[in-house]
Amino acid sequence: MAKTEILRWLLPIFLTVLVVVVTALVVLATCNYYFLLKPSFEGKCGGEKLGDPAPVRPHLAGFHGQVVGKNLWLVQYRWLRRRFKAVGTTLSLLRELPSTLYEGNVIFHRESAGEVVIDKSGVFDFGDLTPGEYSLTVTYPGEDAVGFGFIIDPSARSTDVLIDASPAYYCNCCGWTFEPKSK
């Protein structure tokens, strides 16, 4: 008799918890679709699509800024993931040199311009860089790397950059962004 009373007491609690969990999952799936996946598929997040012209590399006067982001799995909302400093993220900078042609093949030349590991402050500064084209590889710990290109141009207006190192596997709105800030 005591077991049936315990079951009568536990059953409504179990059903309430089950309803709350199912409702939370439905709300999360709906929000992910409308705020992340749908805008990404419609091209509203700035992602490249097949057949688009090559993106224009941003011109920067200097290269310093902040790295933010975190892998939040299904909850990759911009306002939330940018509240975290991307501690341990490695920024590897390469300066692109003129390419050469050898027996019909183009050989690209690059030299290292530095490497920075982001600490708890989240900021980086590569100092004075020689004008020219650069390639940046951003490696978030335990995730794939992503690359960005830019041009150092002393006459440019931007120097600060915000890099969102959050991994973006399933949509273009979820991370891996490089945003120059105007002066």
Side-chain angles (χ1 to χ4, degrees), residues 48-172:
E48 297 175 36
K49 290 185 176 180
L50 191 61
D52 284 350
V56 177
R57 290 182 169 208
H59 288 249
L60 304 170
F63 188 55
H64 46 79
Q66 184 177 18
V67 181
V68 296
K70 187 167 182 80
N71 185 357
L72 299 172
W73 193 54
L74 287 176
V75 197
Q76 285 292 81
Y77 303 112
R78 176 183 299 223
W79 61 269
L80 181 59
R81 71 174 185 266
R82 290 189 174 185
R83 301 237 185 277
F84 298 92
K85 305 292 182 203
V87 177
T89 300
T90 304
L91 305 180
S92 303
L93 188 62
L94 296 173
R95 180 168 178 246
E96 297 182 11
L97 302 172
S99 58
T100 57
L101 188 61
Y102 177 74
E103 295 183 6
N105 296 312
V106 177
I107 301 171
F108 297 99
H109 302 284
R110 295 178 174 168
E111 67 180 3
S112 177
E115 186 170 286
V116 172
V117 177
I118 302 302
D119 60 11
K120 61 184 174 183
S121 71
V123 298
F124 67 92
D125 187 357
F126 277 92
D128 293 331
L129 295 172
T130 307
E133 292 188 30
Y134 288 84
S135 295
L136 176 70
T137 303
V138 180
T139 309
Y140 187 84
E143 300 291 343
D144 293 336
V146 65
F148 302 102
F150 61 92
I151 297 171
I152 293 293
D153 180 4
S155 64
R157 302 189 77 200
S158 298
T159 59
D160 288 335
V161 174
L162 176 68
I163 299 172
D164 186 345
S166 306
Y169 298 113
Y170 57 91
C171 77
N172 295 329

Side-chain angles (χ1 to χ4, degrees), residues 1-13:
M1 194 111 144
K3 286 183 180 180
T4 57
E5 285 187 30
I6 292 173
L7 287 177
R8 281 187 200 157
W9 181 72
L10 284 178
L11 187 61
I13 293 173

Side-chain angles (χ1 to χ4, degrees), residues 168-180:
Y169 298 113
Y170 57 91
C171 77
N172 295 329
C173 300
C174 299
W176 284 342
T177 57
F178 183 89
E179 301 171 9

